[in-house]
Amino acid sequence: MRIVLAGFMGTGKSAVGRRLAARRGLPFIDLDAWIEERAGMSVAEIFARDGEVRFRALEKEAVREVCRGSDAVIAAGGGTVLDDDNRVAFEKAGLLLCLVARPDAIAKRVGDSVETRPLLRGHPDLIARIRDLLAQRAPAYQRIARKIDTSDLSPDQVVERIEIEIESARTAAGRGAGGASA
Ligand code: S3P
């Protein structure tokens, strides 16, 4: 199966995704890395040279490709599901989960890598910037039914929660299939 982790920057998508993939014996795809490989530049360079609109177009293309590809654990970028087509594509392709976290937990995690994140860098008050973006994006993240708050959890604990979500999705799908055939 495909398991897609969405959610804001610093919610743990990549760290958790890597562990989950290893545990399930699935390949791990980091959508930003996928885009960087094809573009031959870093996300920060794409933003700087071609702008966010170009990055979002490349991101949309990457979503199409990974949704057509084989089973994997996929870590989306923080803004990927702001585009509703992307969210729907992920939902059709597999199990979509949204990782969420408090602004302070996010700030702590992205602290060292702010320079690689064009939407956060250069803002003197990091927490205020994170709060603003979270508020703008809340409606998009809320469209994803399955959410896990990672603020106070280690990556391995988040993996455990995801395993529970996978089981509950399976049970729900089984009930659906049983209901249809009854
Ligand atoms: C973005 C998040 C980043 C990357 C780009 C834009 C966003 O991914 O896709 O900088 O809009 O939130 P991560 O969430 O992996 O940092």
XYZ file of all heavy atoms in Angstrom, residues 8-9 13 32 43 47 55-56 59 76-79 117-119 137, ligand 1:
155
model
N 2.408 20.216 8.175
C 3.297 21.390 8.172
C 4.768 20.975 8.305
O 5.079 19.890 8.804
C 2.910 22.300 9.351
C 3.400 23.713 9.225
C 2.753 24.604 8.392
C 4.509 24.144 9.940
C 3.202 25.923 8.279
C 4.962 25.457 9.831
C 4.306 26.344 8.994
N 5.638 21.890 7.875
C 7.079 21.698 8.070
C 7.366 21.401 9.541
O 6.730 21.988 10.426
C 7.839 22.995 7.698
C 7.738 23.363 6.247
S 8.397 25.027 5.898
C 6.928 26.044 6.007
N 7.420 14.532 9.189
C 7.067 13.681 8.037
C 8.237 12.822 7.550
O 8.073 11.633 7.322
C 6.555 14.535 6.860
C 5.364 15.419 7.197
C 4.932 16.243 5.993
C 5.929 17.248 5.504
N 6.127 18.440 6.336
N 10.081 16.377 -1.632
C 11.025 17.480 -1.915
C 12.293 16.947 -2.585
O 12.791 17.544 -3.546
C 11.419 18.207 -0.624
C 10.311 19.105 -0.090
O 9.457 19.533 -0.893
O 10.304 19.370 1.112
N 15.265 22.820 -3.310
C 13.981 23.538 -3.208
C 14.242 25.038 -3.045
O 13.598 25.874 -3.685
C 13.143 22.979 -2.030
C 11.957 23.883 -1.732
C 12.675 21.566 -2.321
N 12.860 28.044 -5.552
C 12.116 29.223 -5.093
C 12.846 30.505 -5.512
O 12.238 31.454 -5.988
C 11.982 29.217 -3.564
C 10.718 28.572 -3.036
C 10.567 27.193 -3.049
C 9.685 29.334 -2.515
C 9.412 26.589 -2.546
C 8.525 28.750 -2.002
C 8.392 27.370 -2.016
N 7.682 26.146 -8.341
C 7.868 25.027 -7.408
C 6.564 24.238 -7.268
O 6.568 23.001 -7.298
C 8.327 25.519 -6.036
C 8.362 24.413 -5.008
C 9.368 23.454 -5.033
C 7.369 24.303 -4.043
C 9.383 22.399 -4.117
C 7.374 23.257 -3.127
C 8.383 22.308 -3.155
N 5.439 24.950 -7.140
C 4.152 24.249 -6.959
C 3.792 23.426 -8.191
O 3.161 22.365 -8.072
C 3.037 25.247 -6.630
C 3.210 25.998 -5.319
C 3.242 25.090 -4.109
N 3.574 25.832 -2.883
C 4.023 25.251 -1.773
N 4.191 23.944 -1.693
N 4.303 25.977 -0.715
N 5.863 20.382 -8.012
C 5.339 19.564 -6.916
C 4.098 18.780 -7.374
O 3.948 17.600 -7.085
C 4.994 20.503 -5.755
C 4.534 19.825 -4.495
C 4.295 20.824 -3.362
O 3.590 21.851 -3.577
O 4.812 20.606 -2.257
N 5.083 14.055 1.962
C 4.764 15.230 1.142
C 5.526 16.428 1.683
O 6.120 16.366 2.771
C 3.267 15.494 1.195
N 5.524 17.526 0.960
C 6.049 18.788 1.490
C 4.954 19.438 2.332
O 3.778 19.063 2.240
N 5.336 20.415 3.120
C 4.374 21.049 4.006
C 3.211 21.729 3.291
O 2.120 21.858 3.833
N 3.456 22.169 2.052
C 2.396 22.881 1.333
C 1.687 22.039 0.285
O 0.771 22.531 -0.393
N 14.456 26.324 4.161
C 12.998 26.446 4.025
C 12.625 27.886 3.668
O 12.488 28.746 4.552
C 12.321 26.005 5.322
C 12.478 24.507 5.549
C 11.863 24.107 6.846
N 11.504 22.709 6.880
C 12.190 21.770 7.539
N 13.262 22.081 8.205
N 11.761 20.525 7.542
N 12.446 28.125 2.364
C 12.248 29.499 1.904
C 11.060 30.201 2.541
O 11.071 31.426 2.668
C 12.038 29.356 0.396
C 12.074 27.904 0.067
C 12.493 27.139 1.266
N 10.049 29.464 2.982
C 8.879 30.135 3.554
C 9.092 30.544 5.015
O 8.289 31.280 5.580
C 7.641 29.248 3.435
C 7.211 28.964 1.987
C 6.004 28.047 1.950
C 6.888 30.259 1.245
N -3.240 27.903 6.722
C -3.333 26.563 6.149
C -4.309 25.633 6.867
O -4.578 24.526 6.370
C -1.940 25.924 6.173
C -0.993 26.634 5.254
C 0.386 26.089 5.363
N 1.220 26.605 4.295
C 2.367 26.064 3.939
N 2.819 25.011 4.573
N 3.053 26.591 2.940
C 6.950 23.918 2.074
C 7.512 22.898 2.805
C 8.785 22.259 2.440
C 9.062 22.429 0.938
C 8.936 23.869 0.553
C 7.564 24.449 0.844
C 5.657 24.482 2.536
O 8.728 20.886 2.753
O 8.185 21.638 0.180
O 9.926 24.576 1.250
O 4.999 25.171 1.727
O 5.277 24.245 3.705
P 8.912 20.298 4.258
O 7.579 20.302 4.922
O 9.408 18.919 4.016
O 9.908 21.168 4.943
